[in-house]
Amino acid sequence: MVKRKQMADASAQADPVPPLQEPSKIPNVLRFPTLVVMSMLLSSALYTGASEFGTGDLASVMRRRDKWWEIGGLLAWKAVELGIGWWGEYDGWDIACLTLLSHMPYLYLLTTFYAVRPTTMWLGIGIDVLSTYLPFMLLRDSSPIHQSEVSKGQVANRPILNDVPIKLYTSILAAAVYGLVVYGSFRGWLPVYLAVHFDGLRDLSGAHEAALPFVTLGFTLSGYAAQSFLFMPALGAKPDVHDMQMAEFNPETASLGQTVWYNVWGYSKRSRTLIKRTATLAFASAMQTGLRTYITVEGVELAGAAGWAAMWATAAILVGGVFWWVGDVDGVSD
């Protein structure tokens, strides 16, 4: 993704993508509060129902939450997380992928090191994803990126977006990046770090006995979610007014401020989309993982939660960087 690519035909290509259509008749001012209430009620109902079908092993590792700031912090973050998706103009599929990627590290910790059953982990991920996807689906239509039948002018690189092998290869690539980061941490700094900052760990064999192929295979679904959330929206982004302004940039006549802005943010729409979504994923992964781990898991120190969260934020940034490199090829239009 070339930063200073001159887009002489930008004005011809910069067909505005229509805003996401929202079929709901709820007044604008009430839509986001409605979304938050719907999501929290649905999550509470699903977790209550799931407790009857085998999530009891979570209780043995949970910290008792009897302070107002602990409960309030989790609820506030839930609202912030939904707000990121709402004002970021994500659709149901976007928020589902973001939720899976940002919520999975916490449950992965419990399954790998606290003897929580994998079925419990997948049940928890399913509840988290459904409780965000369904409200967004009801209150906001799907983005043109996720509609295979929309007109060519609304989305760039439609043939590539619909290409199944490309989706498969980029999903595998993202899974490999996640696998390498986690496996490298297992073989390096992480076991000692966990032993020092996580009082109450059940088993560290998940780190010592890890094999790269199996670790990577475990991130297959995460790889698919990453390519759906990061790569496809960036690839389908159409040039906008910013692209036309950057194409007209003249270093000989530009002011100092214009030159600085061009060098800092003079990227194409595709690059800017990927940068913003990568930053969003890294932030959401770090906050969700750190807060939930520290507040809910018995014996976890703040430094321990922060270190575990940082590993996943780093993985998200590396996946975004790899997708940047993959998209910077001939035949992919900006």
Side-chain angles (χ1 to χ4, degrees):
M1 299 181 180
V2 182
K3 178 178 178 180
R4 296 180 174 85
K5 179 180 179 182
Q6 296 300 315
M7 301 175 62
D9 58 342
S11 59
Q13 296 182 14
D15 301 326
V17 176
L20 298 175
Q21 299 176 353
E22 301 183 33
S24 173
K25 302 302 181 182
I26 299 174
N28 289 336
V29 70
L30 296 179
R31 286 178 181 167
F32 178 67
T34 300
L35 176 79
V36 174
V37 172
M38 287 175 61
S39 180
M40 290 186 176
L41 289 178
L42 183 59
S43 177
S44 177
L46 290 174
Y47 270 111
T48 299
S51 66
E52 305 295 329
F53 298 97
T55 58
D57 47 346
L58 285 174
S60 62
V61 300
M62 291 294 98
R63 173 181 295 174
R64 184 175 179 179
R65 298 190 298 273
D66 52 7
K67 298 178 181 178
W68 69 268
W69 67 266
E70 294 176 332
I71 299 175
L74 291 175
L75 292 176
W77 168 246
K78 177 68 173 179
V80 170
E81 189 176 31
L82 294 170
I84 290 172
W86 186 256
W87 281 292
E89 296 191 337
Y90 296 166
D91 64 2
W93 187 250
D94 285 327
I95 198 67
C97 293
L98 177 61
T99 300
L100 187 149
L101 291 167
S102 59
H103 288 224
M104 179 270 299
Y106 166 78
L107 293 167
Y108 187 83
L109 170 75
L110 300 184
T111 300
T112 307
F113 302 112
Y114 284 89
V116 172
R117 292 171 297 177
T119 53
T120 300
M121 180 189 78
W122 289 113
L123 184 59
I125 289 176
I127 290 173
D128 292 345
V129 169
L130 279 176
S131 63
T132 52
Y133 171 76
L134 290 178
F136 269 81
M137 183 189 70
L138 293 173
L139 293 172
R140 172 169 286 169
D141 273 355
S142 178
S143 165
I145 296 291
H146 301 133
Q147 299 176 21
S148 59
E149 302 301 326
V150 297
S151 63
K152 183 179 179 180
Q154 294 185 25
V155 178
N157 301 302
R158 172 54 71 188
I160 301 178
L161 295 178
N162 292 341
D163 190 278
V164 175
I166 289 179
K167 291 183 179 181
L168 177 62
Y169 299 149
T170 51
S171 296
I172 293 173
L173 183 60
V177 173
Y178 271 107
L180 283 169
V181 171
V182 173
Y183 178 78
S185 299
F186 282 176
R187 290 301 185 187
W189 63 277
L190 189 59
V192 173
Y193 193 85
L194 291 175
V196 172
H197 297 289
F198 285 70
D199 185 19
L201 284 178
R202 304 288 177 81
D203 188 5
L204 277 173
S205 63
H208 295 303
E209 299 174 3
L212 180 58
F214 294 106
V215 173
T216 301
L217 186 63
F219 291 106
T220 301
L221 186 58
S222 297
Y224 180 74
Q227 69 86 26
S228 294
F229 182 73
L230 297 176
F231 188 67
M232 292 301 170
L235 204 63
K238 294 282 290 183
D240 58 7
V241 174
H242 179 90
D243 290 310
M244 290 187 284
Q245 293 173 343
M246 294 300 102
E248 297 171 355
F249 176 79
N250 186 343
E252 296 181 356
T253 60
S255 66
L256 176 61
Q258 291 172 330
T259 302
V260 171
W261 179 246
Y262 178 81
N263 284 280
V264 171
W265 200 235
Y267 299 98
S268 68
K269 174 68 172 178
R270 176 152 55 93
S271 296
R272 284 181 282 120
T273 299
L274 182 56
I275 291 170
K276 288 189 288 187
R277 284 186 172 240
T278 300
T280 298
L281 176 57
F283 174 73
S285 297
M287 291 298 296
Q288 169 68 22
T289 304
L291 280 174
R292 200 171 177 186
T293 301
Y294 178 65
I295 292 176
T296 67
V297 181
E298 183 66 38
V300 176
E301 299 176 4
L302 180 59
W308 179 252
M311 181 183 74
W312 297 97
T314 301
I317 293 171
L318 291 176
V319 170
V322 169
F323 281 154
W324 185 317
W325 171 72
V326 169
D328 188 18
V329 296
D330 294 335
V332 178
S333 63
D334 274 328

